[in-house]
């Protein structure tokens, strides 16, 4: 997601695993990255990175589970509102989200962070950060 939103990614060719010593049990793909003039997601890079990271924290769960961790308990309603406003199905697994859906979720979170700047620094794993929002 991070590379595709910033670059055009093109698969050039595959090198078989037997070409390496010791040979791995996988093949290697060679790709070309061509930077985009305009990123696919208008939100600032730190916002996109945080959204993608959080959504994939629970990659076997619904995307709602990871997206919820972007918001403290007192602001969880903003997560629900985000799915409602973007039209993204909160029961979708992260690996099935499209670039457009990541764009919508990232831009919504960016909009919320513009209104509540300290939210970007919120970390659900840090007890001090959680206490700040209680």
């Amino acid at each position: 997601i991070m590379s595709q939103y910033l670059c055009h990614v093109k698969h050039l060719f595959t090198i078989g695993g037997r070409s390496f010593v010791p040979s791995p049990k996988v093949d290697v793909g060679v790709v070309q990255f061509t930077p985009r003039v305009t990123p696919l997601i208008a939100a600032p890079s730190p916002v996109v990175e945080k959204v993608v990271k959080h959504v994939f924290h629970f990659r076997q769960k619904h995307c709602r589970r990871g997206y919820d961790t972007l918001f403290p308990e007192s602001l969880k309603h903003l997560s629900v509102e985000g799915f409602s406003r973007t039209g993204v199905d909160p029961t979708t697994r992260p690996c099935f989200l499209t670039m457009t859906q990541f764009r919508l979720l990232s831009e919504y979170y960016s909009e919320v962070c513009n209104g509540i700047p300290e939210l970007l620094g919120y970390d659900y794993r840090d007890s001090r950060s959680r206490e700040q929002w209680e």
Side-chain angles (χ1 to χ4, degrees), residues 36-50:
R36 294 179 183 276
V37 175
T38 306
L40 286 179
I41 301 174
S45 203
V47 170
V48 177
E49 183 177 351
K50 185 173 181 180

Side-chain angles (χ1 to χ4, degrees), residues 68-83:
D68 280 352
T69 63
L70 292 168
F71 302 93
E73 281 301 318
S74 61
L75 299 176
K76 284 288 189 236
H77 66 280
L78 294 174
S79 176
V80 174
E81 181 183 320
F83 285 106

Side-chain angles (χ1 to χ4, degrees), residues 5-60:
Y5 110 86
L6 292 171
C7 300
H8 295 281
V9 181
K10 180 181 176 185
H11 179 265
L12 299 177
F13 54 91
T14 302
I15 301 172
R18 330 181 278 280
S19 300
F20 300 95
V21 176
S23 63
K25 296 179 182 178
V26 296
D27 293 335
V28 175
V30 177
V31 294
Q32 177 183 24
F33 294 94
T34 307
R36 294 179 183 276
V37 175
T38 306
L40 286 179
I41 301 174
S45 203
V47 170
V48 177
E49 183 177 351
K50 185 173 181 180
V51 169
V52 171
K53 182 171 64 172
H54 279 255
V55 168
F56 277 106
H57 271 194
F58 304 97
R59 66 182 178 275
Q60 297 301 320

Side-chain angles (χ1 to χ4, degrees), residues 62-108:
H62 297 153
C63 64
R64 175 189 62 234
R65 177 69 177 96
Y67 197 72
D68 280 352
T69 63
L70 292 168
F71 302 93
E73 281 301 318
S74 61
L75 299 176
K76 284 288 189 236
H77 66 280
L78 294 174
S79 176
V80 174
E81 181 183 320
F83 285 106
S84 176
R85 282 191 34 198
T86 61
V88 175
D89 180 358
T91 63
T92 305
R93 287 194 174 171
C95 59
F96 295 116
L97 289 174
T98 65
M99 183 61 70
T100 299
Q101 291 169 318
F102 271 107
R103 177 181 59 78
L104 292 168
L105 291 171
S106 296
E107 289 174 359
Y108 171 78

